[in-house]
Amino acid sequence: MQNRLTIKDIARLSGVGKSTVSRVLNNESGVSQRTRERVEAVMDQNSFSPSRSARAMRGQSDKVVAIIVTRLDSLSENLAVQTMLPVFYEQGYDPIMMESKFSGKMVEEHLGMLQRRNIDGVVLFGFTGIDEATLGPWQSSLVLLARDAAGFASVCYDDEGAIITLMQNLYDSGHRHISYLGVPHSDVTTGQRRHDAYLAFCKQHALPVVASLPGLSMKQGYEQVASVLTPQTTALVCATDTLALGASKYLQEQRIDSLQLASVGNTPLMKFLHPEIITVDPGYADSGRQAATQLIEQINGRSEPRQIIIPATLS
Amino acid sequence: MQNRLTIKDIARLSGVGKSTVSRVLNNESGVSQRTRERVEAVMDQNSFSPSRSARAMRGQSDKVVAIIVTRLDSLSENLAVQTMLPVFYEQGYDPIMMESKFSGKMVEEHLGMLQRRNIDGVVLFGFTGIDEATLGPWQSSLVLLARDAAGFASVCYDDEGAIITLMQNLYDSGHRHISYLGVPHSDVTTGQRRHDAYLAFCKQHALPVVASLPGLSMKQGYEQVASVLTPQTTALVCATDTLALGASKYLQEQRIDSLQLASVGNTPLMKFLHPEIITVDPGYADSGRQAATQLIEQINGRSEPRQIIIPATLS
DNA sequence: CTGTTAGCGCGTTCAA
DNA sequence: TTGAACGCGCTAACAG
């Protein structure tokens, strides 16, 4: 790169001292209006921008954050990431991306890198198997997504509300035999909470319970859907849209089209392939925005870690 | 963060001068074996790692690269990104992600940010509408993916080879009426080159040409597939798996199952939903690895910009 | 082979 | 309200 100019140059060009330029740069008080304007003029006249590394070295922040997704090709996480990127850019933060692949060990490694790198903050997409102890040092500069943990900021989906919304909707349409395809309880949010909500609804309305919790892959939905179908079944609720995709494939192959499907998750792919499926949007887009905003506020010391719950909406 | 130690501390602790520590750090010659070992011992005894910002300021590189994808939720680009991340990590580079959304203007903005940020290099997923002029300053530190441009390093897919492979495969299975669903020529690679390959094959083997070039969305595949079906048609080649997904949905709805589908693209989603479709893998995974490797070599001055073509393989 | 010295671009005193 | 001087952690040029 060509030798860019420094605050020294700006100072010389506008006939002031370095520190005055520094003050203008950081919007500090104690500079006369006239001087400030003059310096600012020179600055954008030469489209000056201060060296990030130099500021970083002076203890200021580097303005870099990390986003650790479980998988780059997760449809839902993509939606969240898409909304947080603009927030970060706008505030001058560079987001670096990492993939955990649901491995606690990878998360540890990545966090290690980030710590050495002296990064400002992290958005971590949670999953079962994260050791909360390893997150310790990040308590004040980490936002957990889709999972919560004591003492950490988090943005969660309303698992219970999402399932209840679906169930109520089906119930109101006259369905009385609603099966459930979900995720094992080892996954607290997507697994246990959603399943519990299903069970609670069934109990409250005296509906028969027919459920299976195979996992969260399409393949598992495909293979296990048969096990929750009884002759009376008229509707099926899936804990995730991925499971629903797997289930539909099976139903399509078996030419079963009398079943009303419903699922949590509102990805474009799903909407296109199966518009007939009733879905609730857990608020992926919102969650990204909120997580980014919360993280920035924490970094700036304008907010304590807090837990945010995104409301689910029928879509 | 807590106050970490500096080379000065390491120097003191191991009883040498700062510059000796610096030399050891950078694997420079001119340090006796004994001294080197002693310093290294002290270093990892205190798990020392040098301040990146300080090195960056000293003209060294910051070790940050950017990956500009068209869309975060592109299935194919995801595959490529997944393989390049590990390469970057391994070499100590932090990859920051950006999304262009197929907008030349966004690319410009992003590159502007990156230039101010004094970044080391960029992997740019190409698309129609990128103004090559704006890429000028990056000539030596940019790798273009899925597109080529004179003077720039690029990693491209073998568009022609991919289509020919599919066509030949279908031809060998006895198909003589093969339709084509593709992308307009405004897109040079996915659009023109693949279509041209189809036309060439048809001409060479005296096959009838039935083609339409609606675009690259699923919806367009869904809506346009009917227009390329004749009573004689026994096979359909799609330029991308996204188009193929759209087409299959239509065919499924119409209960047409006598048609052999084939497409370029080998994403897991496709493999699961439609294993019956013949696909060629354009080498997404390879392309990511190669792009990352090439970029790093360029940054280190160990390679000139060069054009790499990834071979397509039947999968 | 090794230590000393001098900056890099910026923020932060401290006088003026 | 301003500027001069100093130091951050590191590399580079120069002595020894």
Side-chain angles (χ1 to χ4, degrees):
Chain A
M1 303 286 161
Q2 72 292 5
N3 16 349
R4 295 173 20 195
L5 16 71
T6 76
I7 53 170
K8 204 153 107 190
D9 301 318
I10 301 295
R12 191 170 34 75
L13 289 174
S14 42
V16 299
K18 284 195 315 177
S19 34
T20 304
V21 178
S22 176
R23 288 187 185 103
V24 172
L25 213 50
N26 301 340
N27 272 320
E28 281 173 25
S29 59
V31 183
S32 74
Q33 194 56 30
R34 287 229 335 281
T35 315
R36 183 181 297 272
E37 277 167 7
R38 192 151 40 92
V39 173
E40 275 170 347
V42 175
M43 275 181 166
D44 43 47
Q45 192 174 353
N46 304 41
S47 67
F48 164 79
S49 72
S51 147
R52 293 182 81 127
S53 18
R55 329 189 83 180
M57 211 186 60
R58 289 300 306 144
Q60 309 288 98
S61 99
D62 204 357
K63 299 212 117 187
V64 177
V65 296
I67 302 170
I68 306 183
V69 298
T70 61
R71 299 195 37 184
L72 281 171
D73 56 359
S74 157
L75 298 173
S76 55
E77 294 185 5
N78 265 328
L79 289 176
V81 173
Q82 279 179 321
T83 61
M84 52 193 189
L85 289 188
V87 177
F88 285 133
Y89 295 153
E90 210 169 304
Q91 302 290 326
Y93 284 88
D94 285 348
I96 96 176
M97 288 271 283
M98 322 191 95
E99 201 182 23
S100 70
K101 298 190 176 166
F102 296 103
S103 148
K105 201 161 134 285
M106 289 225 70
V107 172
E108 251 177 89
E109 278 178 30
H110 285 152
L111 289 178
M113 282 191 49
L114 297 174
Q115 195 154 15
R116 285 189 289 279
R117 178 87 175 64
N118 202 34
I119 222 147
D120 294 305
V122 180
V123 174
L124 176 59
F125 283 81
F127 56 90
T128 303
I130 287 187
D131 180 11
E132 293 187 16
T134 68
L135 304 183
W138 298 91
Q139 196 129 355
S140 62
S141 50
L142 173 79
V143 173
L144 210 49
L145 207 45
R147 190 111 349 186
D148 49 16
F152 289 91
S154 60
V155 176
C156 277
Y157 302 116
D158 181 8
D159 296 290
E160 192 187 358
I163 294 296
I164 290 181
T165 303
L166 287 179
M167 293 296 288
Q168 189 67 51
N169 189 276
L170 292 170
Y171 189 86
D172 291 347
S173 304
H175 293 281
R176 291 298 178 272
H177 290 265
I178 309 174
S179 296
Y180 179 84
L181 204 55
V183 176
H185 282 200
S186 55
D187 182 314
V188 179
T189 59
T190 313
Q192 183 169 6
R193 289 188 193 162
R194 294 188 189 178
H195 184 220
D196 285 352
Y198 165 76
L199 294 179
F201 190 95
C202 287
K203 187 169 182 188
Q204 188 184 343
H205 295 79
L207 302 183
V209 168
V210 184
S212 173
L213 310 177
L216 33 72
S217 78
M218 250 182 253
K219 189 150 175 288
Q220 290 166 315
Y222 176 82
E223 289 167 349
Q224 287 295 315
V225 76
S227 73
V228 294
L229 298 185
T230 71
Q232 293 83 40
T233 308
T234 60
L236 171 66
V237 168
C238 297
T240 75
D241 51 357
T242 307
L243 278 175
L245 273 177
S248 318
K249 179 173 158 63
Y250 177 85
L251 297 176
Q252 234 169 26
E253 285 178 6
Q254 303 294 317
R255 296 269 192 275
I256 303 176
D257 53 8
S258 59
L259 206 67
Q260 175 64 58
L261 251 65
S263 85
V264 181
N266 182 37
T267 57
L269 179 72
M270 189 67 170
K271 270 273 165 280
F272 175 79
L273 287 180
H274 296 288
E276 77 281 3
I277 296 183
I278 299 173
T279 61
V280 290
D281 181 356
Y284 295 129
D286 255 0
S287 75
R289 255 189 300 277
Q290 299 254 24
T293 308
Q294 168 66 22
L295 182 59
I296 290 176
E297 283 182 1
Q298 265 176 242
I299 291 174
N300 295 339
R302 283 202 306 268
S303 165
E304 288 304 300
R306 60 188 172 127
Q307 311 201 165
I308 298 169
I309 293 180
I310 306 286
T313 58
L314 204 64
S315 55
Chain B
M1 302 291 158
Q2 71 292 8
N3 18 345
R4 298 178 12 202
L5 16 69
T6 76
I7 53 169
K8 203 153 106 190
D9 301 318
I10 301 295
R12 190 170 34 75
L13 288 174
S14 43
V16 298
K18 284 197 311 177
S19 37
T20 303
V21 178
S22 177
R23 288 188 186 102
V24 172
L25 213 49
N26 301 340
N27 271 318
E28 281 174 25
S29 59
V31 182
S32 74
Q33 194 55 30
R34 287 228 336 278
T35 316
R36 183 180 298 271
E37 278 167 6
R38 190 151 40 92
V39 174
E40 275 170 346
V42 176
M43 276 181 165
D44 42 47
Q45 192 175 350
N46 304 35
S47 68
F48 163 81
S49 74
S51 148
R52 292 182 82 128
S53 18
R55 332 187 79 181
M57 208 185 63
R58 288 306 308 152
Q60 308 291 97
S61 99
D62 204 356
K63 298 214 122 188
V64 177
V65 296
I67 303 170
I68 306 183
V69 298
T70 61
R71 299 193 39 182
L72 281 172
D73 55 359
S74 158
L75 298 174
S76 56
E77 293 186 4
N78 266 326
L79 289 176
V81 173
Q82 279 180 321
T83 60
M84 53 193 190
L85 290 187
V87 177
F88 285 133
Y89 296 153
E90 209 168 304
Q91 302 290 325
Y93 284 89
D94 286 349
I96 97 175
M97 288 270 281
M98 322 191 94
E99 200 181 23
S100 71
K101 297 189 177 170
F102 296 104
S103 149
K105 201 163 133 285
M106 289 225 72
V107 172
E108 254 178 86
E109 279 179 30
H110 285 154
L111 288 178
M113 281 191 50
L114 297 174
Q115 195 152 14
R116 284 189 290 279
R117 178 86 174 64
N118 201 34
I119 222 145
D120 294 305
V122 180
V123 174
L124 175 59
F125 283 80
F127 55 90
T128 304
I130 286 187
D131 181 10
E132 292 186 17
T134 69
L135 304 184
W138 298 91
Q139 197 128 355
S140 62
S141 51
L142 174 77
V143 174
L144 210 48
L145 207 45
R147 191 109 352 184
D148 49 14
F152 288 90
S154 61
V155 176
C156 277
Y157 302 115
D158 181 7
D159 297 289
E160 194 187 357
I163 295 295
I164 290 180
T165 303
L166 287 179
M167 293 295 288
Q168 189 67 51
N169 189 276
L170 292 170
Y171 188 86
D172 291 347
S173 304
H175 293 280
R176 290 299 180 269
H177 289 264
I178 308 174
S179 296
Y180 180 85
L181 204 56
V183 176
H185 281 200
S186 54
D187 182 313
V188 180
T189 58
T190 313
Q192 183 169 6
R193 288 188 193 163
R194 295 187 189 179
H195 184 219
D196 285 352
Y198 165 76
L199 294 178
F201 190 95
C202 287
K203 189 168 181 191
Q204 188 185 341
H205 296 79
L207 302 183
V209 167
V210 184
S212 173
L213 308 177
L216 32 73
S217 78
M218 251 181 251
K219 187 150 176 287
Q220 290 167 313
Y222 176 82
E223 288 166 350
Q224 287 295 313
V225 69
S227 73
V228 293
L229 298 186
T230 71
Q232 292 83 40
T233 308
T234 59
L236 171 66
V237 168
C238 298
T240 75
D241 50 358
T242 307
L243 279 174
L245 273 176
S248 331
K249 178 173 159 65
Y250 177 85
L251 297 176
Q252 233 167 28
E253 285 177 5
Q254 303 294 318
R255 296 270 192 277
I256 303 176
D257 55 6
S258 58
L259 206 66
Q260 175 64 57
L261 251 67
S263 85
V264 180
N266 182 37
T267 58
L269 180 71
M270 189 66 170
K271 270 274 166 276
F272 176 78
L273 287 180
H274 296 288
E276 78 281 5
I277 297 183
I278 297 173
T279 61
V280 290
D281 180 357
Y284 295 129
D286 254 2
S287 75
R289 254 189 301 275
Q290 299 255 22
T293 308
Q294 168 66 22
L295 182 59
I296 289 175
E297 282 181 2
Q298 266 176 243
I299 291 173
N300 295 338
R302 282 202 306 268
S303 165
E304 288 303 301
R306 61 187 171 126
Q307 311 200 167
I308 298 170
I309 294 179
I310 306 286
T313 57
L314 203 63
S315 53

